[in-house]
Amino acid sequence: MRGSREEAAIDAREATRAYAEDFLPEDEPLLNARRRGEEVGAAPIGPAGGAALRFLATLIGARTVVEVGSGCGVSGVWLMRGMPKDGVLTSVDIEPDNQRLAKQAYREAGLSGFRTRMISGPALEVLPRLTDGAYDMVFCDAAKREYPGYLVDALRLLRPGGVVAFDNALWHDRVADADRRDPETEAIREVHRMIRDDDRLVPLLMPVGDGLLCAVKRD
C-alpha cells in the first residue's frame, strides 16, 4: 500500500509539472523553431522557461538583452515578445547554422531584423567586447562548463536592476544528486554558489523546465 501511495504522489507531481510546462502553449513559429532546434541538437529552452523569460523581460522593461546560445531562435522569440518594440536582442552563438535558423524563426514570428544583432563566436571571447553596464538582461544557455565565466561577464554587462538568467539550472535532475560529479554538473553547482553568495545579487531558482536560475543585480 505504501508503495502505491508513493507512486501515486510521484505521478501527481509529474502531472503537475507537465501542466505547468504546457500552461502557455507555443504558437506555430515557436513550435517550428523548437523542432528545427531539436533536429540539430540545440536543445532550446522549454515552453515554461521561455514564458518565464518573456515575463522577466516585460517586468523590467528590457530594451537591451544579451543571450548566450541562440536555441535556434526559440529563446529569442520569447525574449523579444517581452521586450518593447524598439528593444534590441544581441545573440551570441558559436554555431553559424544555429544563428541562420534563429533568423528564420524571427522572420516567421514577424519580428523585425532591426531588433537583432547576431554575433558569431565563442561567448567567452565575445562577451568581453560588449559595453559595461549597457544591458538590462543577460540570458545564458550555452556551454555548461562555461557558466561561471558567463556570470562574471554578465555582472559587468548588466545595469543596476538588470537580470541574469541561466537555463538548465537543474541539469536533468543531476544538480541535486550529490553523486553526480561530471564537469557540467559541477560548473552549474558553482554558478549556483556564486549567485547565492554574492551580496550584489537577489537570486531565485525556478523549477520550470530544466530549471531557470535568475538573479537581479542590486542598485
Side-chain angles (χ1 to χ4, degrees):
M1 183 66 69
R2 180 180 177 183
S4 297
R5 287 199 299 269
E6 290 175 348
E7 290 171 2
I10 291 171
D11 289 343
R13 285 196 296 271
E14 290 301 318
T16 297
R17 289 182 66 174
Y19 178 85
E21 192 68 20
D22 297 333
F23 177 68
L24 293 173
E26 293 183 317
D27 59 9
E28 187 172 352
L30 276 168
L31 290 172
N32 288 338
R34 181 173 302 286
R35 173 183 52 79
R36 290 189 293 263
E38 290 170 349
E39 287 174 353
V40 299
I45 191 170
L53 292 181
R54 182 181 65 175
F55 178 87
L56 290 169
T58 303
L59 184 68
I60 66 171
R63 294 181 178 276
T64 52
V65 177
V66 176
E67 68 168 3
V68 181
S70 68
C72 296
V74 173
S75 53
V77 170
W78 277 113
L79 284 163
M80 282 189 282
R81 286 178 172 176
M83 297 163 64
K85 293 188 182 300
D86 61 348
V88 176
L89 173 71
T90 298
S91 183
V92 180
D93 202 308
I94 198 170
E95 296 290 346
D97 285 345
N98 291 355
Q99 292 183 319
R100 176 180 57 79
L101 293 174
K103 291 178 182 178
Q104 181 179 348
Y106 304 154
R107 288 194 301 270
E108 291 178 0
L111 297 166
S112 169
F114 293 106
R115 297 189 59 188
T116 60
R117 177 173 62 152
M118 312 294 284
I119 304 177
S120 181
L124 293 180
E125 295 179 11
V126 173
L127 295 176
R129 304 203 302 264
L130 303 182
T131 304
D132 293 8
Y135 297 91
D136 301 309
M137 186 171 178
V138 178
F139 169 60
C140 304
D141 186 16
K144 310 311 169 192
R145 297 188 191 193
E146 297 180 355
Y147 269 21
Y150 299 162
L151 176 61
V152 172
D153 280 313
L155 294 180
R156 179 181 54 79
L157 297 174
L158 286 172
R159 63 163 174 83
V163 170
V164 61
F166 290 84
D167 190 26
N168 303 116
L170 298 176
W171 198 226
H172 314 300
D173 299 319
R174 296 171 188 165
V175 171
D177 184 349
D179 293 331
R180 295 280 190 168
R181 296 291 181 181
D182 58 277
E184 289 79 11
T185 302
E186 292 284 39
I188 294 171
R189 288 190 185 118
E190 175 63 12
V191 87
H192 282 207
R193 184 197 62 77
M194 292 169 67
I195 287 177
R196 187 175 55 236
D197 295 347
D198 194 325
D199 291 338
R200 297 172 297 175
L201 300 175
V202 179
L204 174 65
L205 176 57
M206 294 190 285
V208 297
D210 195 30
L212 189 67
L213 177 62
C214 309
V216 178
K217 183 178 177 181
R218 294 181 188 270
D219 294 340

